[in-house]
Amino acid sequence: MLFHVRMDVNIPRGLPAEEAKAIIAKEKAYSQALQQSGKWRHIWRIAGEYANFSIFDVKDNAELHEVLSGLPLFPFMKIEVKPLLRHPSSIREDDT
């Protein structure tokens, strides 16, 4: 299943800089591993915001929840999820 996910990050100002840096490094490694596996298909930064739009390709809602809740920055995120379906006018047969 494909999902459109918006993630807005709000790291508390009081979080020590070294702790924030470590969490961000873990986040990058985790997200890149998911991208390499094909589960995190696309990620785009939203200009001027600490946020992104992403496309996930996972088995179901439960797997998406597992992936998202595993994000090291998850405690500091507001997340919006929208399930996607292939449009009948699409010429791309691989987007199912």
Side-chain angles (χ1 to χ4, degrees), residues 5-43:
V5 179
R6 178 181 172 133
M7 292 177 255
D8 292 272
V9 182
N10 185 17
I11 298 174
R13 294 192 191 279
L15 191 66
E18 286 303 312
E19 187 176 341
K21 186 177 176 181
I23 293 169
I24 291 167
K26 288 179 187 176
E27 179 85 9
K28 182 175 183 177
Y30 182 74
S31 71
Q32 289 180 343
L34 287 167
Q35 290 173 65
Q36 290 169 347
S37 76
K39 291 182 183 203
W40 197 326
R41 271 205 200 179
H42 302 281
I43 182 170

Side-chain angles (χ1 to χ4, degrees), residues 36-75:
Q36 290 169 347
S37 76
K39 291 182 183 203
W40 197 326
R41 271 205 200 179
H42 302 281
I43 182 170
W44 293 276
R45 172 179 276 167
I46 301 171
E49 299 181 34
Y50 194 172
N52 72 75
F53 285 126
S54 294
I55 303 294
F56 287 86
D57 188 358
V58 292
K59 182 176 68 173
D60 55 23
N61 295 339
E63 184 178 17
L64 180 65
H65 180 76
E66 182 180 321
V67 166
L68 295 177
S69 63
L71 291 165
L73 286 171
F74 180 78

